């Protein structure tokens, strides 16, 4: 059990520019972690899921709640680092995060400094990328700053020299951020898009999704199709299902394909090591769970051969850049050149924005990305258990029991008449009334998606749980949703 920090100011992390430590930020990090009683990156909430439903008679939800409350003082201090309006409970991080005070300060200071010094924006931010990259398990030449997830997806997909007839295997639960460059490649180069229908709910395992990808690729190959790439979201934005990257990568490698992950929600939510995952491209947002400024994104690009993925680097050309190195890509463990610079540098860039993103990443690395992941997932696990108690497990579109499939996005059907979830107007009214009918109101959203066996889209209610929430927020949310669902029955 950690010693709680004594005041929120202790979490106002020291400024950068001192010497390097494990993740390249400040010398104070180790002291900070010692003060909190944590090892670097420790998952301190314990084996939360394993604790559920024990012999003492407490429910899975009770167990999750108790576990979360053990860390309450720490997370209260983290919550106090944000400037969020207290009249609302912000549970739509999947759409937009919020910059904490230290990030706002960096943004303002750097903006001012740039103006005072007539600062240049001609840089590829190599030093900052190198520091940020360590928190993602890669090197600076493998991490680019993009404008957002959609921009990173365009860089990844439209940079590949497609040939007519190339097939990209993907899902029917993708976001426009990935679907749009795929559609452009379809019209421009004549690629084919093969979509796997995604099962939803708690009855899936990681193996379910792994087999779906493998079977589809085998089927296409047996038809003589030239499958060239797999593109998928982890997690999908509609159900929050964490399509399992490691398992999908096994399939990708077995079939020698290009891997493109729409990881919009990954930076700031999950503590993934992309060097170990070996994915060719992972495009994430800087402005959602990572709580950096708007118009920031993180694109991880494979740029050297690591044991995790021995396949040759995919052929790829920058499509939006003023930095082009006309040289063959690496065939070994050393980068041939800084490929991520070509995505980051396109003319003069707004450096304060990325300095502020770097500050957000520094804050995350200092708290511990694994600790944040554990907390976010624990909140979501707690929410899913409470939903299961009231509405039943079949109301969940998100999985809850396979740890490889869970994310901090929770999607479910709140309606007493389950068929109402196919009424988009009713789902929108539910979202609007969750904000207007309660004080504080809840900011959530719905998302429409096809469900196997149903003629119409389901408009599930989607809730994001993050560092500024606690179990009390979840309790109030569930009570409010239960009351509103009764009123709308
Ligand atoms: C899965 C997914 N991909 C892409 C996007 C687009 O994100 P961005 O605004 O960062 O481009 C979103 C946004 O919610 C998303 O959920």
């Amino acid at each position: 059990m950690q010693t709680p920090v004594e005041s929120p100011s202790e979490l106002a992390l020291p400024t950068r520019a001192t010497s390097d430590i494990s993740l390249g930020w400040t010398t104070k990090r180790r002291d900070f972690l010692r003060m909190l009683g944590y090892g670097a990156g420790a998952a301190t909430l314990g084996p939360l899921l394993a604790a559920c439903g024990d012999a003492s008679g407490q429910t899975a939800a009770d167990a999750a709640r108790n576990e979360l409350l053990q860390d309450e003082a720490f997370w209260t201090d983290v919550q106090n680092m944000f400037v969020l309006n207290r009249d609302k409970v912000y549970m739509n991080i999947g759409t937009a995060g919020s910059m904490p005070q230290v990030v706002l300060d960096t943004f303002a200071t750097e903006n001012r400094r740039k103006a005072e010094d007539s600062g240049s924006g001609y840089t590829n931010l190599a030093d900052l990328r190198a520091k940020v990259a360590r928190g993602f398990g890669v090197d600076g030449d493998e991490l680019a700053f993009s404008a957002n997830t959609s921009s990173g997806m365009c860089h990844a997909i439209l940079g590949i020299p497609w040939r007519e007839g190339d097939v990209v295997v993907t899902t029917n639960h993708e976001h426009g951020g990935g679907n749009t460059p795929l559609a452009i490649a379809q019209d421009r180069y004549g690629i084919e898009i093969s979509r796997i229908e995604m099962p939803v709910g708690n009855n899936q395992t990681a193996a379910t999704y792994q087999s779906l990808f493998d079977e589809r690729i085998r089927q296409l190959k047996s038809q003589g199709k030239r499958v060239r790439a797999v593109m998928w979201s982890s997690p999908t934005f509609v159900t929050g299902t964490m399509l399992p990257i490691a398992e999908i990568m096994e399939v990708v490698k077995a079939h020698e394909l290009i891997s493109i992950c729409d990881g919009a929600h990954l930076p700031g939510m999950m503590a993934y090591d992309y060097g170990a995952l070996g994915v060719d491209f992972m495009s994430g947002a800087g402005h959602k769970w990572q709580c950096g400024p708007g118009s920031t994104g993180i694109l991880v690009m494979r740029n050297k051969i690591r044991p995790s993925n021995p396949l040759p680097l995919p052929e790829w050309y920058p499509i939006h850049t003023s930095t082009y190195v006309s040289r063959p890509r690496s065939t070994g463990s050393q980068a041939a050149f800084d490929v991520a610079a070509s995505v980051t540098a396109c003319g003069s860039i707004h450096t304060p924005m990325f300095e502020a993103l770097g500050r957000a990443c520094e804050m995350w690395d200092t708290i511990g990305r694994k600790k944040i992941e554990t907390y976010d997932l624990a909140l979501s696990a707690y929410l899913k258990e409470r939903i299961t108690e009231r509405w039943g497990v079949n109301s969940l579109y998100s999985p809850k029991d396979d740890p490889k499939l869970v994310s901090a996005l929770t999607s479910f059907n709140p309606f007493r008449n389950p068929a109402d979830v196919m009424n988009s107007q009713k789902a929108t009214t539910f979202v609007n009334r969750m904000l207007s009918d309660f004080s504080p109101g809840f900011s959530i959203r719905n998302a429409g998606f096809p469900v196997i066996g149903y003629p119409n889209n389901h408009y599930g209610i989607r809730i994001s749980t993050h560092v500024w929430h606690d179990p009390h927020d979840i309790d109030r949310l569930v009570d409010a949703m239960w009351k509103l669902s009764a009123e709308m029955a």
Side-chain angles (χ1 to χ4, degrees):
M1 178 75 151
Q2 77 288 352
T3 311
V5 291
E6 282 167 19
S7 78
S9 62
E10 289 177 90
L11 283 165
L13 310 173
T15 51
R16 202 162 41 247
T18 45
S19 70
D20 211 5
I21 56 144
S22 62
L23 281 170
W25 297 116
T26 70
T27 48
K28 295 243 174 82
R29 180 169 183 266
R30 214 169 288 132
D31 294 341
F32 172 76
L33 291 165
R34 198 175 302 123
M35 176 179 72
L36 298 177
Y38 297 134
T44 54
L45 280 173
L48 179 73
L49 295 170
C52 293
D54 66 12
S56 68
Q58 65 178 346
T59 65
D62 295 338
R65 191 175 198 281
N66 291 338
E67 197 86 29
L68 281 163
L69 285 175
Q70 284 180 26
D71 235 7
E72 196 175 17
F74 175 81
W75 292 107
T76 301
D77 283 334
V78 173
Q79 285 153 21
N80 287 335
M81 296 180 74
F82 289 84
V83 300
L84 292 156
N85 173 0
R86 307 252 169 174
D87 293 340
K88 296 182 193 170
V89 183
Y90 291 91
M91 296 184 143
N92 190 13
I93 299 101
T95 298
S98 171
M99 281 181 273
Q101 187 64 56
V102 290
V103 175
L104 287 167
D105 290 347
T106 298
F107 204 168
T109 306
E110 294 295 330
N111 226 358
R112 176 98 204 172
R113 209 157 59 94
K114 189 169 159 76
E116 283 175 355
D117 203 30
S118 185
S120 160
Y122 292 102
T123 170
N124 64 35
L125 294 169
D127 291 346
L128 186 62
R129 284 190 288 121
K131 284 184 175 173
V132 169
R134 289 171 200 159
F136 294 84
V138 292
D139 299 327
D141 59 277
E142 300 167 297
L143 185 140
F145 294 141
S146 61
N148 48 41
T149 318
S150 308
S151 127
M153 292 301 285
C154 286
H155 281 289
I157 293 171
L158 298 176
I160 295 167
W162 301 103
R163 295 186 296 270
E164 187 173 355
D166 283 346
V167 182
V168 178
V169 172
T170 186
T171 84
N172 67 338
H173 282 178
E174 297 306 316
H175 188 277
N179 279 335
T180 304
L182 274 189
I184 295 169
Q186 189 175 34
D187 287 355
R188 183 167 184 186
Y189 303 105
I191 68 161
E192 294 174 25
I193 301 168
S194 177
R195 291 191 192 275
I196 304 169
E197 293 188 2
M198 289 287 99
V200 301
N202 191 44
N203 290 330
Q204 281 39 261
T205 64
T208 314
Y209 293 102
Q210 183 174 12
S211 318
L212 282 171
F213 280 94
D214 189 49
E215 281 160 18
R216 175 61 61 90
I217 294 163
R218 284 179 195 283
Q219 185 190 10
L220 288 161
K221 281 179 154 179
S222 73
Q223 294 163 3
K225 299 279 188 187
R226 192 175 60 242
V227 181
R228 185 119 183 263
V230 178
M231 189 280 265
W232 75 97
S233 293
S234 294
T236 71
F237 82 106
V238 284
T239 66
T241 304
M242 187 65 75
L243 297 181
I245 301 182
E247 280 72 12
I248 294 173
M249 283 306 296
E250 289 306 315
V251 176
V252 161
K253 285 183 280 183
H255 292 283
E256 302 186 3
L257 304 175
I258 301 170
S259 44
I260 307 164
C261 176
D262 178 342
H265 305 274
L266 295 180
M269 180 208 282
M270 303 300 286
Y272 285 164
D273 177 335
Y274 296 95
L277 286 169
V279 64
D280 285 316
F281 301 95
M282 187 292 295
S283 178
H287 63 96
K288 296 181 190 287
W289 305 80
Q290 188 56 73
C291 294
S295 293
T296 61
I298 286 174
L299 177 64
V300 174
M301 313 168 75
R302 198 160 67 96
N303 196 37
K304 61 197 71 165
I305 309 297
R306 295 174 183 272
S308 56
N309 187 351
L311 294 178
L313 299 179
E315 204 184 340
W316 180 87
Y317 298 90
I319 45 124
H320 181 263
T321 192
S322 54
T323 300
Y324 179 50
V325 180
S326 180
R327 199 183 297 162
R329 311 246 359 231
S330 170
T331 53
S333 60
Q334 300 298 315
F337 57 93
D338 182 354
V339 74
S342 70
V343 168
T344 306
C346 186
S348 179
I349 59 174
H350 190 47
T351 51
M353 199 166 74
F354 294 117
E355 292 285 349
L357 174 63
R359 190 71 176 86
C361 290
E362 179 182 4
M363 176 176 156
W364 255 241
D365 290 339
T366 305
I367 292 173
R369 288 187 180 273
K370 191 69 188 170
K371 182 175 172 64
I372 291 172
E373 173 191 304
T374 304
Y375 187 67
D376 281 5
L377 296 183
L379 285 166
S380 178
Y382 177 52
L383 172 59
K384 286 166 186 159
E385 293 302 338
R386 285 285 182 236
I387 288 172
T388 300
E389 282 178 356
R390 300 270 179 111
W391 285 268
V393 71
N394 291 336
S395 69
L396 286 172
Y397 295 111
S398 311
K400 76 176 178 72
D401 289 336
D402 185 338
K404 289 180 176 169
L405 297 183
V406 296
S407 80
L409 288 170
T410 299
S411 164
F412 85 115
N413 176 357
F415 296 110
R416 303 295 174 96
N417 172 11
D420 285 352
V421 81
M422 286 177 276
N423 180 337
S424 75
Q425 188 51 50
K426 196 152 187 170
T428 300
T429 302
F430 188 91
V431 167
N432 292 343
R433 287 189 59 184
M434 283 298 295
L435 189 60
S436 64
D437 289 15
F438 300 93
S439 182
F442 297 90
S443 171
I444 57 174
R445 68 163 284 182
N446 67 60
F449 51 92
V451 176
I452 295 167
Y454 289 85
N456 299 311
N457 277 356
H458 287 213
Y459 295 87
I461 299 300
R462 194 189 77 180
I463 298 138
S464 306
T465 45
H466 205 15
V467 291
W468 57 75
H469 299 133
D470 58 37
H472 310 288
D473 294 321
I474 308 277
D475 293 339
R476 285 193 294 268
L477 170 81
V478 171
D479 285 345
M481 294 195 300
W482 186 246
K483 182 169 181 283
L484 182 57
S485 68
E487 287 173 18
M488 290 181 67

